[in-house]
Amino acid sequence: MITQGVRVTGRCSSCGGTTTCDVGQFFDHGMLCWGTEGRCADCPNTWCEKDSGLVTPENIREVLLQAHGPARLRLSGDVPSLVPVLQALRDAHELSLGEARARATELAETGLIGTLVEMEVLAVHLRNRAIAVSVESAA
Ligand SMILES: [Zn+2]
């Protein structure tokens, strides 16, 4: 399982006390999932939200990107044709052909940027099609 998380503190909306919240993204059984789970130290206020899907809510991505910095996915060798890259990107993200083409070009030229889990998920799809890629810190 590929996972990345961060614990953030905040202020409780019910009592004004200190809350801690675990925010994370993970890749499990072929699904990109995200979750946030928080509790207040001073009152019974708790919350938990979990879901999976192609797009993680932007506030969760921001927290992860701020805490860990972005990751960059790059092709690690020469790719004779972008066709398998296109196919892998479409598998991963249900992109239109035009969108996939733009992403594939970006990947070949500068690499793609996102959260570590998002880039690792794409890497899995690309490696499934025998395309060598690497994920590194983009900070
Ligand atoms: Zn509270």
Side-chain angles (χ1 to χ4, degrees):
M1 186 161 98
I2 305 160
T3 177
Q4 189 178 57
V6 62
R7 174 165 289 184
V8 289
T9 56
R11 195 147 299 284
C12 177
S13 54
S14 323
C15 76
T18 304
T19 57
T20 52
C21 182
D22 292 308
V23 176
Q25 242 185 344
F26 46 101
F27 184 59
D28 194 19
H29 296 99
M31 294 282 284
L32 178 60
C33 311
W34 54 268
T36 160
E37 198 177 341
R39 75 203 72 78
C40 178
D42 303 311
C43 80
N45 188 17
T46 58
W47 66 96
C48 178
E49 215 182 334
K50 258 185 187 159
D51 209 345
S52 61
L54 297 171
V55 180
T56 301
E58 209 46 44
N59 59 326
I60 290 182
R61 301 187 69 244
E62 301 262 298
V63 169
L64 290 171
L65 288 169
Q66 247 177 35
H68 296 286
R72 186 195 306 272
L73 175 72
R74 314 199 66 145
L75 298 174
S76 29
D78 280 338
V79 177
S81 154
L82 281 184
V83 173
V85 177
L86 282 175
Q87 287 166 337
L89 292 176
R90 295 190 75 184
D91 286 351
H93 272 309
E94 291 175 2
L95 300 173
S96 73
L97 190 55
E99 288 166 335
R101 195 168 280 144
R103 298 279 279 169
T105 307
E106 200 184 334
L107 173 61
E109 283 170 2
T110 57
L112 296 175
I113 303 274
T115 68
L116 177 71
V117 174
E118 288 165 356
M119 294 304 102
E120 291 285 0
V121 169
L122 284 180
V124 167
H125 283 276
L126 288 156
R127 286 174 189 139
N128 283 347
R129 290 182 185 269
I131 301 155
V133 291
S134 62
V135 177
E136 62 201 39
S137 168

